[in-house]
Amino acid sequence: MKRRRFIKISALSSLYLSTGCSTEKNTDTSSLLTAAASSTANANQLFIPPLLDPAPDQDGVKQFDLTIQASTHSFFEDFETETYGINGSYLGPTLRLELGDKVSINYTNQLNEVTTMHGHGMHVPANMDGGPHQEIEVGTAWSAQYTVKQKACTNWYHPHKMGQTAEQVYKGLAGMIILEDAETLFHPLPKTYGVDDIPLILQDRFFDENGQFDYSPTHMEVMRGYKGDTFIANGQIEPIFTATTTLLRIRLLNASNAGVYNLSFTDNHPFTQIAGDNSFLERPVEMTSLLLTPGERAEIIVDLSTFIGETITLTEITENKAFLHIQVAESLSNNTSIPSELTILNRWSESDAVQTRHFVLSGQQGQLYINNKQMDMQRIDERLTLNQIELWEIENQMVMDHNFHIHASHFLVLSRNGNPAEVQENIKGYKDTVHIPPSETVRIIVKMSDYADPDGKYMFHCHFLEHEDAGMMGQFIVEET
Ligand code: C2O
Ligand code: CU
Ligand code: CU
């Protein structure tokens, strides 16, 4: 199927040629060009999703109210795209939770379809996980209620409706969750939200000739993943952030359906990764590029002192498309630093593992499998025992990329293709999603340390959302000893 593309123009006037312009809106290119020419850089300042203030509580419970709704959003000048959003037109506000907080995250579904809302990376009971079993019917509300019980990290929330996850995320349903603890508050790291600590939600989208999302992947696109030719950050095309500090901390979230992003700054300017999915790294890691697959997060810090008064760009280098331009102010405040030790992690020992499980990723013709099975909500695939250390080996038998995500708890990556030395330094913290490149086998160490429940179903799956929806997902429960 050949799709027609929207003629797009951003404030930076990147113009992509359309393969066909049959609609009225589209043929009027000159007015789009004029609109872009008259716009200033300010029009495209990076949107920082607001921090959601929890409403006053009765019993010390922080109440967060989120409304899931249909809306329209301006990705382009003078142009509205039909979207979904949470308390807004596209994406959702940022939740900031602290270790020990009792929270109630209250989701109201104002869509015309059933959804769910999962806390990706959250260490919570299965019935609070927001997976496919916690459906939120049209016009009703559902609350995720729990006590925050994990290390500081950057997590996120997104729908997990059986078979519909990819489309609902694509339309705009996702938001960031920032977890803090004594360590994050103690470190001299940048931590002023929206100033020197910014969320950056990375996605790619395909706009049809009417400037709309047309989510209808073919079998081929299910296999390859539904990838768009327009890269967006916080719902904007090539936004500009004005930096006023020497060190800028960026919380990167790959919230795309299937984009594998290889990120790099102008001139390969070095940066420091301080955190991965579920924790700080023990020590900061110096890097010049960062690979992030769908669902993964990375907190990085970039030193802007050599770019004073200039612009530095964050680019996806495989497609060579810009995600974000950072306009560096003429004078920068300089009162943060990167400690050489960030945290201490509990590294379970391989010799304490009592069981090894194998997971084979395979597929054909738009059908995808884990151990030759497609997801079935009625079937429990794996039964784990509380507090038992296990090794999981995930083997990608295909010639395409996958990754592997486990709900409920973090894991550590032990080896790639049997070789511990192949594990990249920047994925040595607590992870919940790991890249499994073509024909690779990745070995991880896993432990479920809470929330045993014979009826509580958690998911494991490939986080390429088309793959997940096409069957590459399974269920586990955690049982008492
Ligand atoms: Cu981010 Cu099972 O999901
Ligand atoms: Cu998850
Ligand atoms: Cu996959």
Side-chain angles (χ1 to χ4, degrees), residues 9 43 89 137 156 162 206 216 224 273 299 315 317 327 347 350 372 381 388 426 458 462:
I9 191 127
S89 63
E137 300 294 332
W156 61 303
M162 181 71 182
F206 183 87
S216 52
R224 280 199 305 247
Q273 185 171 342
E299 292 178 33
T315 301
I317 51 184
Q327 171 68 53
R347 300 195 168 273
E350 209 166 329
N372 293 315
D381 298 282
Q388 179 172 292
N426 70 315
Y458 289 116
C462 175

Side-chain angles (χ1 to χ4, degrees), residues 361 368 400-403 462-464 467-468 472:
L361 309 181
L368 288 144
M400 62 182 66
D401 279 301
H402 294 289
N403 66 14
C462 175
H463 216 288
F464 289 58
H467 296 175
E468 170 184 340
M472 196 172 263

Side-chain angles (χ1 to χ4, degrees), residues 291-305:
L291 194 76
L292 219 52
T293 66
E296 287 186 292
R297 288 86 67 207
E299 292 178 33
I300 62 168
I301 293 183
V302 54
D303 184 330
L304 301 170
S305 54

Side-chain angles (χ1 to χ4, degrees), residues 118 120-121 405 407:
H118 165 57
H120 179 128
H405 168 51
H407 286 211

